[in-house]
Amino acid sequence: GQNIDQPTEMTATEGAIVQINCTYQTSGFNGLFWYQQHAGEAPTFLSYNVLDGLEEKGRFSSFLSRSKGYSYLLLKELQMKDSASYLCAVLSSGGFKTIFGAGTRLFVKA
Amino acid sequence: DGGITQSPKYLFRKEGQNVTLSCEQNLNHDAMYWYRQDPGQGLRLIYYSQIVNDFQKGDIAEGYSVSREKKESFPLTVTSAQKNPTAFYLCASSHGGGGGNQPQHFGDGTRLSIL
């Protein structure tokens, strides 16, 4: 079967660093996306990884290990506006079908 | 500004009624998608379309229908056969697939409820 696992909720303090993990088992792999979704709003694209390693983009970084079926999203210098759900999504073989995890709700406290 | 527009934002359906959710994009994207999001669950794919006049079923297509007569438009009809339609519906689009780092761009969603 196809499965993506993420923690349901996480809490972190403003200014801190938080790591959101994602493990996946899918039939085929054409890359992994991270999206941010504020409550009641549309998901917005954060990062894409297709090769092993770390991709850094400002305060956000994303890591991928294909052999382990594992990724994480690293958020640095947390701000209150980072309180949102973070969705891990895998692009399957063929390139059109994306499988989404249930998302991790991140609460940033002062 | 380019983007995806979904309408209406809120929609109510009576028992036995079909309703159609609108999705329009002016990003010149070839591929379009419909997802359903329920509380505590990930986005589940209903239908997707790679090009005009072509579409494929996703994981939960039963009780739904779509059309893709124009590149810009991908309406979703929730039929009376869908017994549990209450959910948040998201439309998305992307450049052509076949691999590559093309993220999906999402509309603001339509929240459908049963009267």
Side-chain angles (χ1 to χ4, degrees):
Chain A
Q2 307 201 87
N3 196 47
I4 296 180
D5 286 318
Q6 309 177 232
T8 303
E9 289 186 358
M10 299 182 71
T11 301
T13 304
E14 194 175 18
I17 298 173
V18 71
Q19 177 175 313
I20 302 174
N21 296 324
C22 170
T23 58
Y24 64 89
Q25 291 177 303
T26 57
S27 56
F29 180 85
N30 266 318
L32 186 144
F33 293 89
W34 283 96
Y35 290 87
Q36 180 191 61
Q37 185 180 26
H38 286 98
E41 297 182 9
T44 55
F45 168 73
L46 289 178
S47 69
Y48 171 77
N49 294 71
V50 68
L51 300 176
D52 289 353
L54 186 68
E55 294 279 344
E56 296 187 78
K57 191 185 293 186
R59 293 192 298 117
F60 292 21
S61 303
S62 56
F63 171 83
L64 175 68
S65 169
R66 288 172 298 170
S67 62
K68 295 181 179 178
Y70 168 69
S71 173
Y72 67 72
L73 180 70
L74 194 71
L75 290 75
K76 305 174 187 175
E77 302 170 14
L78 280 173
Q79 301 174 10
M80 299 299 287
K81 67 178 182 179
D82 296 329
S83 293
S85 288
Y86 291 86
L87 311 179
C88 174
V90 172
L91 187 62
S92 66
S93 295
F96 281 101
K97 191 170 180 181
T98 302
I99 302 157
F100 283 82
T104 298
R105 291 180 66 189
L106 174 66
F107 298 94
V108 179
K109 59 182 183 180
Chain B
D1 286 341
I4 300 181
T5 302
Q6 288 187 243
S7 62
K9 195 171 180 66
Y10 299 95
L11 187 59
F12 299 91
R13 195 191 90 169
K14 295 179 181 178
E15 294 288 342
Q17 185 181 44
N18 294 353
V19 291
T20 298
L21 284 60
S22 170
C23 178
E24 303 277 333
Q25 56 99 358
N26 60 3
L27 298 166
N28 199 33
H29 286 168
D30 291 309
M32 296 187 75
Y33 313 80
W34 273 105
Y35 294 93
R36 170 181 172 139
Q37 189 173 33
D38 294 283
Q41 297 190 38
L43 277 66
R44 291 185 289 167
L45 183 64
I46 304 172
Y47 269 97
Y48 66 100
S49 168
Q50 299 175 30
I51 56 173
V52 176
N53 292 321
D54 184 59
F55 50 83
Q56 284 80 40
K57 292 181 179 180
D59 298 319
I60 54 166
E62 185 174 351
Y64 300 97
S65 66
V66 293
S67 63
R68 186 85 187 277
E69 297 176 1
K70 298 187 299 180
K71 187 175 186 177
E72 303 79 17
S73 180
F74 192 42
L76 173 75
T77 296
V78 184
T79 75
S80 56
Q82 172 49 243
K83 298 307 178 187
N84 184 25
T86 297
F88 188 48
Y89 290 87
L90 285 161
C91 178
S93 70
S94 68
H95 285 294
N101 61 343
Q102 302 301 330
Q104 294 182 24
H105 298 256
F106 288 85
D108 288 334
T110 293
R111 196 167 294 279
L112 176 63
S113 301
I114 293 293
L115 284 178

